[in-house]
Amino acid sequence: MFASVIVDVPSKSVNQVFDYRIPSGMQDIIKVGHRVVVPFGRRTIQGYVMNIKDTADFDPSKIKPISRTLDIEPVLTEEMIVIAKYLAEYYVDQYISVIETILPAALKANYKKIIRAAGDDGEAAQALRNLGISGDIETSRLTADQLSVLRPHFKSGELVEETVISQHTRKKTALGVYSLKVPEPNLGRAKKQIELLERIDMSSEPILLGTLQEEGYSNGMVNTLYKKGLIDKVDVEIERDPYSGRIFEYDKPKVLNGEQRRAYEEITQSMDEKSAETFLLHGITGSGKTEVYLQVIQKALNEGRTAIMLVPEIALTPQMVNRFKMRFGDDVAVLHSGLSPGEKYDEWRKIKEGRARVSVGARSSVFAPFENVGVIIIDEEHETTYKQSDRPMYHAAEVAKFRSRRHGCPLILGTATPSLETYARSEKGVYRRLELTERAGTKILPEIRIVDMSEQHRAGNTSVISTPLHEAITDRLEKGEQTVLLLNRRGYSNFQICQSCGHVPMCPNCDISLTYHKSNSSLLCHYCGYESRVTRQCDNCSSEDVTFRGTGTEKVEEILRDMFETDVVRMDNDTTRRKGMHEKLLNHFEKDEIPILLGTQMIAKGLDYPKVTLVGVLNADTMLNLPDFRANEKTFQLLTQVSGRAGRHELSGEVIFQTYNPTHYAIELATHNDYRNFYEKEMAFRRMARYSPFYFHVLFTVSSEDVRKCLGATSHIHETLAGAMSEQSIIVGPSPSPIERINRQHRFQILLKYKREPALLELLNELDAEYHEKYKKEGISLKIDVNPLVIM
């Protein structure tokens, strides 16, 4: 028997399966999806079995055998293998890259080379002992002098170098003990030892030493019983549960209102028919979409099926996880980047082993290894975080559609502000649209008003807090209610400037100004991470007349504390970088009743607190100025989403948008929560400018440290596309990317707009292969983004 194996080599030249012979002793063990160790050239590497067959395409005598397997059970299901092939082809990437994205990072191979003596008594073994080396040693730990001494023994074959393959993260274990059930143990009058032995005897499973210590038994007592042959020690696996010790009170299903009930019935009818139908659950903020999700999932579980729930950001996960844990308990596994590799690995294993039937997590949890999926849900489907920005640049919704078809289950796309592409498909009947137009219960949408900041400045108010917003915050403080403020810009000030010569400190690696962070007195690049200390003297003219311009969340936090003399919780990338900080800060805001929550867009979605009655957007124009055709859409979505945080319970809500563009339709229509009107206006612009959803897109981004190489490569790509595409397609560029240089790499881009190009996929693969080789030889990198969400 032979196995077709994808090897762990991230190279376009080996992006194919290789045949290996399955040794007779492994033929009943190795299955499709197993990780195996195989010889590849002069190396020994990890691979994945993609297929098993009886015959090979080459001379069987020349086919090398598989060395060993790394698992008892396969890590890849047959479904995941099919998905890996589909994504690699659709997004023009390598199989191994997609496979490593599908699997938890803990399973990624860890390679190290060791030196081993062929025998214990030869000259090589003695040479190792003379160097103070006992047993095996990693090659990398040997000095040049030691290698020189040992080199003759390599030539003679007495010393061999082997590759050892292990995975990054292993199962966590701790020492435990169990009783050997010795009849009539002789412990004399040692009452405490007798008590300890009885305690161990009573347990059907090994008991952790830590547990015994907590119960008052010392390690010395345990060791005494061990030495007397009454108990034995064993390594016990410990599951890394990020929610261990947490108690979740059961949350009863709510009574659905008329619109919720109709949505539930249409979705469950599709489940009964095992139809792979895609639903757009278009519900205004606070309309009870999550309760519909929960009850649909309960039906899937009742029928013995499983469910996948996606949320766009870690910030949304704590509250969503709480609701799911309160409803489904230990049936829920959580998968997102805020967990440690070990925690993610153990949550993934809970799914793989059938101990969890519901997954809640961000983008990559769409690959949860469930069998018999009953429903897939993507909450806030419009969010760009569902598209991966690095290779492989897949979109979670595409994977979800694929799995929906394979399992014959519905896919639910839920949002208050659908992407134009999704809503357009619902208009054409490709997706079935379900509308939730009322807030759950008796709650009404908050009152929204616009404050023109130009008028505020003319009236003498130059603060970042307008007079109406100041009055509204003061009113909430007096009532003991809470306020959420959004400013989608972190740091203290946007940039430092010399008022004598106009010099602005720039990142040496990127074409972007450095942002001032007051907390650590640094100037920081938000693209490459470059950091420098703040000086009060201009680097260009040595003037001391330097100042800071612009306002970020760090500065606004300081202003709010001084202005209102109250506590503020700030949530941005700086305050939530450490593990668990999202949940910690939100708990602080809710339980300690901190009056003001200030944050970037991570606070705009999913948060549901009864005392939040005021939402303020400090600069509603931020996203309008992005050089991206989706800027208007992103602005409308962000404003609508953050507005929905106010007045979600018994208290009525109010929202204030501060803007310099009060008449812009994205802002005006957001105040009326008028998605339909926005959709029609924006679609007219997209049709005229020939953008998605009227055209498909492919974005080519070339980067190199040499700007001339960038220009040459993009010119070549433009010529290649122009010669192969039809006249209906449009090629925009080559042109510099909006941020021309990032991390010392110059960046140029080309945008292809097309409706139907049958030969496009083959052309993309040819370009990808060509520039893969050019990257190795000349340092020119090509990134091909199919259906990009960000044109930056």
Side-chain angles (χ1 to χ4, degrees), residues 302-320:
N302 292 344
E303 296 173 352
R305 305 185 79 180
T306 56
I308 297 172
M309 174 79 195
L310 301 188
V311 294
E313 296 182 29
I314 307 169
L316 287 186
T317 312
Q319 280 201 319
M320 190 66 78

Side-chain angles (χ1 to χ4, degrees), residues 290-310:
T290 303
E291 186 60 33
V292 176
Y293 302 155
L294 291 166
Q295 296 198 23
V296 167
I297 289 173
Q298 186 63 64
K299 176 178 170 60
L301 299 185
N302 292 344
E303 296 173 352
R305 305 185 79 180
T306 56
I308 297 172
M309 174 79 195
L310 301 188

Side-chain angles (χ1 to χ4, degrees), residues 68 266 272 367 458:
R68 61 189 173 93
E266 290 201 40
D272 292 337
F367 299 114
R458 284 193 291 270

Side-chain angles (χ1 to χ4, degrees), residues 240-251:
R240 289 159 285 211
D241 183 357
Y243 300 93
S244 63
R246 294 268 296 275
I247 298 173
F248 297 94
E249 296 181 9
Y250 178 64
D251 173 41

Side-chain angles (χ1 to χ4, degrees), residues 601-614:
Q601 64 182 5
M602 64 174 62
I603 66 167
K605 303 166 289 292
L607 304 183
D608 186 356
Y609 296 112
K611 285 198 169 184
V612 173
T613 60
L614 173 65

Side-chain angles (χ1 to χ4, degrees), residues 385-450:
T385 51
Y386 286 122
K387 178 82 189 291
Q388 179 151 300
S389 57
D390 299 320
R391 301 185 72 161
M393 289 179 280
Y394 72 93
H395 197 297
E398 288 300 319
V399 182
K401 290 174 195 172
F402 187 96
R403 298 196 74 179
S404 167
R405 292 192 295 269
R406 188 173 179 90
H407 290 272
C409 71
L411 167 63
I412 305 171
L413 307 176
T415 178
T417 53
S419 66
L420 262 66
E421 291 82 356
T422 296
Y423 198 84
R425 287 179 182 134
S426 75
E427 285 284 277
K428 291 187 174 182
V430 179
Y431 299 161
R432 199 195 310 187
R433 188 165 72 240
L434 307 172
E435 299 277 3
L436 302 179
T437 60
E438 300 174 356
R439 280 196 157 185
T442 59
K443 299 178 286 293
I444 61 172
L445 286 169
E447 175 192 346
I448 305 176
R449 53 182 169 142
I450 295 175

